[in-house]
Amino acid sequence: MIPFEAGELVLPVFVREGRSEPTPIRSMPGVVQHSMDSLRAATAEAAGLGIGGVMIFGIPELRDAQGSQATNPDGILSVATRTVIAEVGSALVVQADLCLDEFTDHGHCGLLSRDGSIDLPATLERYRDMGLVLAEAGAHMLGLSGMMRGQVAAVRLALEARGSLKPLLLAYSAKYASAMYEPFRDAVESAYAGGPRDYQLDPADRAAGVERAMTDVSEGADVVMVKPAGGYLDVVAEIAVALRSHPRPIPVWAYQVSGEYAAIEAAAAVGSIDRRRAVLESLAGIRRAGASGVLSYWATDVARWFAEENGT
Ligand code: PBG
Protein backbone atom coordinates (compact mmCIF):
# COMPACT_ATOMS: atom_id res chain seq x y z
CA MET A 1 0.00 0.00 0.00
CA ILE A 2 3.05 2.26 0.14
CA PRO A 3 3.21 4.18 -3.11
CA PHE A 4 6.52 5.93 -2.55
CA GLU A 5 10.11 5.32 -1.46
CA ALA A 6 12.39 6.74 1.21
CA GLY A 7 14.50 8.29 -1.54
CA GLU A 8 11.63 10.60 -2.43
CA LEU A 9 11.59 12.14 1.05
CA VAL A 10 13.59 15.15 2.22
CA LEU A 11 14.12 15.77 5.93
CA PRO A 12 13.99 19.43 7.05
CA VAL A 13 16.41 20.04 9.95
CA PHE A 14 17.02 22.95 12.30
CA VAL A 15 20.46 23.77 13.63
CA ARG A 16 20.98 26.37 16.34
CA GLU A 17 24.18 28.34 16.71
CA GLY A 18 25.87 28.14 20.08
CA ARG A 19 24.26 24.95 21.38
CA SER A 20 26.10 21.88 22.56
CA GLU A 21 22.96 19.76 23.01
CA PRO A 22 19.81 19.35 20.89
CA THR A 23 16.85 21.39 22.19
CA PRO A 24 13.21 20.21 21.87
CA ILE A 25 10.80 22.49 19.98
CA ARG A 26 7.68 23.03 22.05
CA SER A 27 5.16 23.17 19.23
CA MET A 28 6.72 20.29 17.25
CA PRO A 29 6.98 17.33 19.62
CA GLY A 30 9.68 14.96 18.41
CA VAL A 31 11.56 17.64 16.42
CA VAL A 32 14.62 19.44 17.83
CA GLN A 33 16.91 22.34 17.20
CA HIS A 34 20.14 20.48 16.56
CA SER A 35 23.61 21.16 17.84
CA MET A 36 26.31 20.59 15.22
CA ASP A 37 27.03 17.14 16.69
CA SER A 38 23.42 16.00 16.80
CA LEU A 39 22.92 17.34 13.27
CA ARG A 40 25.78 15.17 12.11
CA ALA A 41 24.25 12.12 13.75
CA ALA A 42 20.75 12.83 12.39
CA THR A 43 21.94 13.29 8.83
CA ALA A 44 24.14 10.19 8.97
CA GLU A 45 21.10 8.23 10.15
CA ALA A 46 18.94 9.72 7.37
CA ALA A 47 21.54 8.78 4.76
CA GLY A 48 21.79 5.26 6.18
CA LEU A 49 18.03 4.83 5.83
CA GLY A 50 18.08 5.86 2.18
CA ILE A 51 16.35 9.23 2.47
CA GLY A 52 16.80 11.43 -0.59
CA GLY A 53 17.91 14.68 0.98
CA VAL A 54 18.06 17.08 3.85
CA MET A 55 16.98 20.75 3.96
CA ILE A 56 18.98 22.78 6.47
CA PHE A 57 17.59 25.77 8.36
CA GLY A 58 20.14 27.74 10.41
CA ILE A 59 19.22 29.68 13.54
CA PRO A 60 21.78 32.38 14.26
CA GLU A 61 22.69 33.80 17.63
CA LEU A 62 22.51 37.38 16.32
CA ARG A 63 19.93 39.03 14.10
CA ASP A 64 19.76 42.43 12.46
CA ALA A 65 17.71 44.32 9.86
CA GLN A 66 19.87 43.08 6.96
CA GLY A 67 20.11 39.48 8.11
CA SER A 68 23.90 39.83 8.06
CA GLN A 69 24.54 36.32 9.33
CA ALA A 70 22.90 34.89 6.21
CA THR A 71 25.96 35.80 4.17
CA ASN A 72 28.63 35.08 6.76
CA PRO A 73 30.75 32.20 5.34
CA ASP A 74 31.38 31.19 8.96
CA GLY A 75 27.74 31.68 9.95
CA ILE A 76 25.59 28.85 11.21
CA LEU A 77 24.03 27.88 7.87
CA SER A 78 27.30 27.71 5.92
CA VAL A 79 29.05 25.83 8.71
CA ALA A 80 26.17 23.37 8.97
CA THR A 81 26.13 22.86 5.19
CA ARG A 82 29.86 22.08 5.14
CA THR A 83 29.53 19.83 8.18
CA VAL A 84 26.68 17.78 6.73
CA ILE A 85 28.48 17.36 3.42
CA ALA A 86 31.63 16.24 5.24
CA GLU A 87 29.47 13.69 7.08
CA VAL A 88 27.31 12.26 4.28
CA GLY A 89 29.07 13.28 1.06
CA SER A 90 26.66 12.82 -1.80
CA ALA A 91 24.54 10.17 -0.06
CA LEU A 92 21.99 12.95 0.52
CA VAL A 93 21.06 15.92 -1.66
CA VAL A 94 22.20 18.57 0.80
CA GLN A 95 19.90 21.59 0.57
CA ALA A 96 20.20 24.95 2.28
CA ASP A 97 17.33 27.37 2.88
CA LEU A 98 17.91 30.58 0.96
CA CYS A 99 15.76 33.10 2.78
CA LEU A 100 16.29 35.92 5.26
CA ASP A 101 13.52 35.31 7.80
CA GLU A 102 15.73 33.23 10.08
CA PHE A 103 18.33 36.01 10.06
CA THR A 104 16.40 39.30 10.22
CA ASP A 105 15.39 40.94 13.49
CA HIS A 106 11.95 41.70 12.03
CA GLY A 107 11.42 38.13 10.81
CA HIS A 108 10.45 39.00 7.23
CA CYS A 109 11.84 37.10 4.26
CA GLY A 110 13.19 40.30 2.73
CA LEU A 111 14.65 43.66 3.67
CA LEU A 112 12.18 46.37 4.60
CA SER A 113 11.86 49.91 3.26
CA ARG A 114 11.26 52.83 5.64
CA ASP A 115 7.49 52.46 5.23
CA GLY A 116 7.65 48.80 6.28
CA SER A 117 7.06 47.34 2.83
CA ILE A 118 9.52 44.92 1.22
CA ASP A 119 12.45 46.55 -0.57
CA LEU A 120 12.64 44.15 -3.51
CA PRO A 121 15.87 45.29 -5.22
CA ALA A 122 17.77 45.28 -1.91
CA THR A 123 16.29 41.88 -1.04
CA LEU A 124 17.35 40.34 -4.36
CA GLU A 125 20.85 41.71 -3.83
CA ARG A 126 21.00 39.87 -0.48
CA TYR A 127 19.65 36.68 -2.10
CA ARG A 128 22.37 36.81 -4.79
CA ASP A 129 25.05 37.10 -2.13
CA MET A 130 23.47 34.38 -0.01
CA GLY A 131 23.27 32.07 -3.03
CA LEU A 132 26.97 32.51 -3.71
CA VAL A 133 27.95 31.98 -0.06
CA LEU A 134 25.86 28.80 0.23
CA ALA A 135 27.16 27.51 -3.10
CA GLU A 136 30.73 28.12 -1.87
CA ALA A 137 29.84 26.09 1.23
CA GLY A 138 29.05 23.25 -1.18
CA ALA A 139 25.25 23.08 -1.00
CA HIS A 140 23.94 20.69 -3.64
CA MET A 141 20.64 22.53 -3.85
CA LEU A 142 19.35 25.93 -2.73
CA GLY A 143 15.80 26.24 -1.41
CA LEU A 144 14.49 29.63 -2.54
CA SER A 145 11.74 30.06 0.02
CA GLY A 146 11.36 33.84 0.24
CA MET A 147 8.61 34.16 -2.39
CA MET A 148 10.14 37.32 -3.83
CA ARG A 149 9.44 38.15 -7.47
CA GLY A 150 12.49 37.55 -9.64
CA GLN A 151 14.43 35.61 -7.00
CA VAL A 152 15.08 32.57 -9.19
CA ALA A 153 16.46 34.64 -12.06
CA ALA A 154 18.54 36.75 -9.68
CA VAL A 155 20.23 33.77 -8.02
CA ARG A 156 20.56 31.87 -11.29
CA LEU A 157 22.38 34.80 -12.94
CA ALA A 158 24.66 35.32 -9.95
CA LEU A 159 25.65 31.63 -10.02
CA GLU A 160 26.21 31.66 -13.77
CA ALA A 161 28.46 34.68 -13.47
CA ARG A 162 30.50 32.64 -10.99
CA GLY A 163 30.72 29.75 -13.50
CA SER A 164 32.15 27.05 -11.28
CA LEU A 165 29.23 26.98 -8.81
CA LYS A 166 26.37 24.76 -9.84
CA PRO A 167 23.85 24.01 -7.10
CA LEU A 168 20.36 23.08 -8.27
CA LEU A 169 17.63 25.63 -7.61
CA LEU A 170 14.50 24.50 -5.77
CA ALA A 171 11.89 27.24 -6.07
CA TYR A 172 9.16 27.46 -3.44
CA SER A 173 6.96 28.73 -6.25
CA ALA A 174 3.50 28.27 -4.80
CA LYS A 175 3.94 29.32 -1.22
CA TYR A 176 0.60 30.19 0.30
CA ALA A 177 0.03 32.55 3.23
CA SER A 178 -0.78 29.72 5.63
CA ALA A 179 -1.63 29.34 9.30
CA MET A 180 0.29 26.07 9.11
CA TYR A 181 3.74 27.72 9.34
CA GLU A 182 3.19 28.76 12.95
CA PRO A 183 5.20 25.98 14.64
CA PHE A 184 8.11 26.71 12.26
CA ARG A 185 8.35 30.22 13.72
CA ASP A 186 8.85 28.62 17.09
CA ALA A 187 11.42 26.22 15.62
CA VAL A 188 13.56 29.03 14.19
CA GLU A 189 12.81 31.47 17.06
CA SER A 190 11.49 33.88 14.46
CA ALA A 191 11.13 37.48 15.52
CA TYR A 192 8.17 37.93 13.17
CA ALA A 193 5.48 39.90 14.97
CA GLY A 194 2.75 40.11 12.37
CA GLY A 195 2.30 42.61 9.57
CA PRO A 196 1.82 42.16 5.86
CA ARG A 197 2.92 38.97 4.19
CA ASP A 198 1.45 39.95 0.88
CA TYR A 199 4.35 38.30 -0.93
CA GLN A 200 2.79 34.93 -0.04
CA LEU A 201 -0.20 33.71 -2.05
CA ASP A 202 -3.91 33.87 -1.18
CA PRO A 203 -4.98 30.36 -0.04
CA ALA A 204 -8.11 30.62 -2.20
CA ASP A 205 -6.16 31.24 -5.41
CA ARG A 206 -5.15 28.14 -7.35
CA ALA A 207 -4.25 29.91 -10.60
CA ALA A 208 -1.69 32.13 -8.87
CA GLY A 209 0.26 29.10 -7.64
CA VAL A 210 0.34 27.56 -11.10
CA GLU A 211 1.34 30.86 -12.69
CA ARG A 212 4.22 31.36 -10.24
CA ALA A 213 5.51 27.85 -10.88
CA MET A 214 5.61 28.47 -14.62
CA THR A 215 7.36 31.80 -14.09
CA ASP A 216 9.99 30.16 -11.88
CA VAL A 217 10.59 27.48 -14.50
CA SER A 218 11.12 30.16 -17.13
CA GLU A 219 13.59 31.88 -14.78
CA GLY A 220 15.63 28.68 -14.51
CA ALA A 221 14.26 26.69 -11.55
CA ASP A 222 15.29 23.01 -11.56
CA VAL A 223 12.47 21.93 -9.21
CA VAL A 224 9.29 23.78 -8.25
CA MET A 225 7.51 23.34 -4.94
CA VAL A 226 4.06 23.78 -3.44
CA LYS A 227 3.72 24.66 0.23
CA PRO A 228 1.89 23.65 2.37
CA ALA A 229 1.19 20.24 0.83
CA GLY A 230 -1.97 18.68 2.28
CA GLY A 231 -4.40 21.53 1.72
CA TYR A 232 -3.01 22.34 -1.72
CA LEU A 233 -3.03 19.03 -3.58
CA ASP A 234 -5.03 20.50 -6.44
CA VAL A 235 -2.21 22.99 -7.01
CA VAL A 236 0.37 20.16 -6.97
CA ALA A 237 -1.68 18.19 -9.49
CA GLU A 238 -2.26 21.09 -11.82
CA ILE A 239 1.41 22.06 -11.88
CA ALA A 240 2.47 18.44 -12.45
CA VAL A 241 0.13 18.18 -15.43
CA ALA A 242 1.21 21.55 -16.83
CA LEU A 243 4.88 20.57 -16.64
CA ARG A 244 4.38 17.27 -18.44
CA SER A 245 4.67 18.99 -21.79
CA HIS A 246 7.71 21.03 -20.78
CA PRO A 247 10.84 20.25 -22.84
CA ARG A 248 13.01 20.04 -19.72
CA PRO A 249 11.89 17.54 -17.03
CA ILE A 250 10.94 19.67 -14.00
CA PRO A 251 9.87 17.75 -10.88
CA VAL A 252 7.16 19.14 -8.59
CA TRP A 253 7.80 18.75 -4.89
CA ALA A 254 5.60 19.56 -1.91
CA TYR A 255 6.41 20.68 1.63
CA GLN A 256 4.41 18.99 4.36
CA VAL A 257 4.87 21.90 6.75
CA SER A 258 5.23 22.24 10.50
CA GLY A 259 1.51 22.73 11.19
CA GLU A 260 0.60 19.60 9.23
CA TYR A 261 3.14 17.71 11.33
CA ALA A 262 1.90 19.21 14.60
CA ALA A 263 -1.76 18.52 13.81
CA ILE A 264 -1.28 14.78 13.23
CA GLU A 265 1.10 14.48 16.18
CA ALA A 266 -1.40 16.21 18.49
CA ALA A 267 -4.30 14.03 17.37
CA ALA A 268 -2.19 10.88 17.70
CA ALA A 269 -0.91 11.91 21.14
CA VAL A 270 -4.44 11.92 22.57
CA GLY A 271 -5.29 8.64 20.85
CA SER A 272 -7.74 10.11 18.33
CA ILE A 273 -5.96 8.63 15.31
CA ASP A 274 -3.33 6.00 14.55
CA ARG A 275 -0.10 7.92 14.02
CA ARG A 276 1.62 5.61 11.58
CA ARG A 277 -1.40 5.07 9.37
CA ALA A 278 -2.21 8.78 9.35
CA VAL A 279 1.36 9.76 8.45
CA LEU A 280 1.61 7.22 5.62
CA GLU A 281 -1.81 8.20 4.28
CA SER A 282 -0.92 11.89 4.29
CA LEU A 283 2.25 11.17 2.29
CA ALA A 284 0.43 8.82 -0.09
CA GLY A 285 -2.00 11.63 -0.87
CA ILE A 286 0.78 14.06 -1.67
CA ARG A 287 2.46 11.54 -3.97
CA ARG A 288 -0.87 10.68 -5.59
CA ALA A 289 -1.41 14.34 -6.47
CA GLY A 290 1.82 14.27 -8.47
CA ALA A 291 4.63 15.37 -6.15
CA SER A 292 7.80 13.40 -6.86
CA GLY A 293 9.57 14.71 -3.76
CA VAL A 294 8.17 15.57 -0.33
CA LEU A 295 9.77 17.54 2.48
CA SER A 296 8.47 15.96 5.67
CA TYR A 297 9.47 16.08 9.34
CA TRP A 298 8.56 12.39 9.42
CA ALA A 299 11.09 11.44 6.71
CA THR A 300 13.35 9.49 9.07
CA ASP A 301 10.47 7.76 10.88
CA VAL A 302 8.92 6.71 7.60
CA ALA A 303 12.22 5.42 6.22
CA ARG A 304 12.68 3.41 9.41
CA TRP A 305 9.20 1.88 9.01
CA PHE A 306 10.04 0.94 5.41
CA ALA A 307 13.31 -0.64 6.53
CA GLU A 308 11.48 -2.65 9.24
CA GLU A 309 8.90 -3.85 6.75
CA ASN A 310 11.63 -4.94 4.35
CA GLY A 311 13.44 -6.69 7.16
CA THR A 312 16.61 -4.66 6.60
C1 PBG B 1 11.01 30.54 4.96
C2 PBG B 1 10.33 29.26 5.29
C3 PBG B 1 9.23 29.08 6.12
C4 PBG B 1 8.97 27.70 6.13
C5 PBG B 1 9.94 27.10 5.34
N1 PBG B 1 10.76 28.08 4.83
C6 PBG B 1 8.48 30.10 6.87
C7 PBG B 1 7.53 30.89 6.06
O1 PBG B 1 7.33 30.61 4.90
O2 PBG B 1 6.94 31.83 6.58
C8 PBG B 1 7.87 27.02 6.86
C9 PBG B 1 8.01 25.54 6.88
C10 PBG B 1 7.15 24.88 7.91
O3 PBG B 1 6.18 25.47 8.43
O4 PBG B 1 7.43 23.72 8.23
N2 PBG B 1 12.38 30.49 5.33
Side-chain angles (χ1 to χ4, degrees):
M1 113 74 172
I2 298 168
F4 56 94
E5 297 170 6
E8 294 162 343
L9 299 175
V10 175
L11 177 70
V13 290
F14 303 104
V15 56
R16 172 68 158 81
E17 191 169 29
R19 290 278 161 80
S20 53
E21 295 294 328
T23 316
I25 298 164
R26 188 191 52 81
S27 56
M28 299 179 74
V31 179
V32 299
Q33 288 181 338
H34 283 290
S35 65
M36 211 50 81
D37 282 345
S38 71
L39 176 67
R40 224 185 268 135
T43 51
E45 183 190 24
L49 287 164
I51 285 172
V54 63
M55 172 64 77
I56 308 172
F57 295 97
I59 305 147
E61 194 90 66
L62 297 174
R63 296 183 152 113
D64 58 27
Q66 272 69 45
S68 304
Q69 289 303 311
T71 46
N72 178 355
D74 296 315
I76 182 69
L77 187 53
S78 284
V79 171
T81 301
R82 286 197 291 270
T83 303
V84 171
I85 290 168
E87 183 70 28
V88 303
S90 54
L92 295 174
V93 179
V94 177
Q95 306 162 36
D97 184 52
L98 198 164
C99 190
L100 293 173
D101 64 324
E102 289 98 36
F103 299 96
T104 51
D105 57 8
H106 46 69
H108 279 277
C109 289
L111 302 191
L112 301 180
S113 308
R114 284 238 177 104
D115 66 359
S117 64
I118 294 287
D119 180 343
L120 185 61
T123 299
L124 294 181
E125 194 59 46
R126 296 290 292 134
Y127 283 10
R128 279 191 273 271
D129 290 347
M130 195 176 178
L132 292 174
V133 168
L134 294 174
E136 291 285 0
H140 303 146
M141 185 181 260
L142 304 178
L144 291 135
S145 68
M147 210 53 198
M148 297 293 152
R149 290 233 180 236
Q151 63 180 12
V152 176
V155 173
R156 172 64 76 205
L157 287 174
L159 292 170
E160 276 173 6
R162 200 59 83 77
S164 54
L165 301 170
K166 297 205 167 33
L168 296 167
L169 299 186
L170 163 64
Y172 287 50
S173 305
K175 170 168 158 180
Y176 285 89
S178 174
M180 295 304 215
Y181 308 146
E182 213 55 41
F184 177 92
R185 308 248 148 79
D186 193 17
V188 299
E189 302 171 30
S190 171
Y192 177 65
R197 281 199 171 256
D198 48 8
Y199 44 93
Q200 302 186 354
L201 304 178
D202 173 0
D205 193 345
R206 173 168 50 184
V210 179
E211 188 256 322
R212 293 293 283 265
M214 296 308 143
T215 303
D216 285 350
V217 168
S218 70
E219 288 185 17
D222 297 295
V223 181
V224 294
M225 189 146 77
V226 176
K227 169 184 155 196
Y232 298 83
L233 297 181
D234 56 327
V235 183
V236 173
E238 194 163 325
I239 294 173
V241 169
L243 285 175
R244 245 183 240 155
S245 54
H246 196 271
R248 206 160 39 101
I250 311 280
V252 184
W253 289 8
Y255 196 147
Q256 185 177 53
V257 299
S258 57
E260 299 179 84
Y261 174 88
I264 289 183
E265 288 292 333
V270 294
S272 301
I273 57 173
D274 180 90
R275 177 173 180 266
R276 181 161 165 166
R277 280 189 60 202
V279 169
L280 289 173
E281 185 179 327
S282 70
L283 289 166
I286 297 165
R287 282 290 282 120
R288 190 190 63 236
S292 51
V294 185
L295 273 70
S296 172
Y297 298 98
W298 287 300
T300 303
D301 291 303
V302 170
R304 206 179 292 116
W305 297 337
F306 290 175
E308 284 163 16
E309 282 174 22
N310 295 329
T312 52

